[in-house]
């Protein structure tokens, strides 16, 4: 809290202005940038089951490999929480994966499996 230094805010003109930021400060333009960052290699998949549903990482890997027809390099980080799980799948494999597992059961139970979406909490006016 008492440290000193420089802080940078990366914001686009179309973003909502925040009341705690002084927008009259110096602006560093980056419009001369020649390259954009690479798009993400993986997409996050949501699974409606977790540890409390007796799911673990091995179950997800096995299910996605056998029923989803994914190969070893197509899967990234897998996180299993208490009631939900997330798995990183290569972007170009997601559509086929979801099609292949559409009516399949994992460990004898049907789970909702879909592309994870960002939840945005709306400000109350």
């Amino acid at each position: 809290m008492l440290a000193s230094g420089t802080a940078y805010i990366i914001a686009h003109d179309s973003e909502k202005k925040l009341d705690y930021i002084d927008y009259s400060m110096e602006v560093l333009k980056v419009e001369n940038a020649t390259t954009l960052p690479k798009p993400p290699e993986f997409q996050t998949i949501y699974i409606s089951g977790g540890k409390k549903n007796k799911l673990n990482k091995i179950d997800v890997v096995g299910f996605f490999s056998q029923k989803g027809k994914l190969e070893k390099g197509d899967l990234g980080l897998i996180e299993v929480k208490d009631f939900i799980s997330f798995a990183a799948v290569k972007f170009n494999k997601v559509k086929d994966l979801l099609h292949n597992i559409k009516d399949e059961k994992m460990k004898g139970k049907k789970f909702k499996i879909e592309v994870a979406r960002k939840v945005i909490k709306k400000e109350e006016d």
Side-chain angles (χ1 to χ4, degrees):
M1 185 169 106
L2 301 175
S4 63
T6 303
Y8 294 93
I9 300 167
I10 300 173
H12 190 269
D13 290 335
S14 65
E15 292 183 70
K16 180 182 176 203
K17 302 288 185 203
L18 303 170
D19 57 353
Y20 54 86
I21 295 176
D22 176 13
Y23 287 95
S24 64
M25 69 180 102
E26 178 186 359
V27 175
L28 300 172
K29 298 282 186 184
V30 291
E31 53 201 33
N32 293 332
T34 57
T35 60
L36 293 173
K38 293 180 187 173
E41 189 177 350
F42 290 89
Q43 190 165 19
T44 304
I45 301 298
Y46 162 82
I47 304 164
S48 66
K51 293 176 188 172
K52 302 287 183 177
N53 305 100
K54 301 198 182 337
L55 282 185
N56 59 43
K57 289 181 184 184
I58 305 298
D59 298 325
V60 175
V61 170
F63 182 70
F64 282 7
S65 297
Q66 292 173 359
K67 304 287 183 177
K69 300 180 177 123
L70 291 183
E71 296 175 17
K72 183 180 178 182
D74 297 333
L75 268 173
L77 180 68
I78 298 172
E79 247 186 86
V80 180
K81 305 288 187 183
D82 283 345
F83 295 100
I84 60 173
S85 301
F86 298 98
V89 176
K90 284 207 173 170
F91 255 94
N92 59 347
K93 300 289 183 169
V94 170
K95 187 176 177 182
D96 289 337
L97 168 72
L98 295 176
H99 181 281
N100 292 337
I101 62 173
K102 184 173 63 173
D103 296 318
E104 299 289 342
K105 292 182 179 180
M106 185 174 7
K107 293 191 81 172
K109 187 174 179 203
K110 182 87 169 109
F111 292 99
K112 184 177 193 176
I113 301 173
E114 62 188 11
V115 174
R117 58 185 188 273
K118 186 176 177 181
V119 177
I120 301 172
K121 293 184 180 181
K122 297 205 178 211
E123 254 183 82
E124 298 204 18
D125 293 323

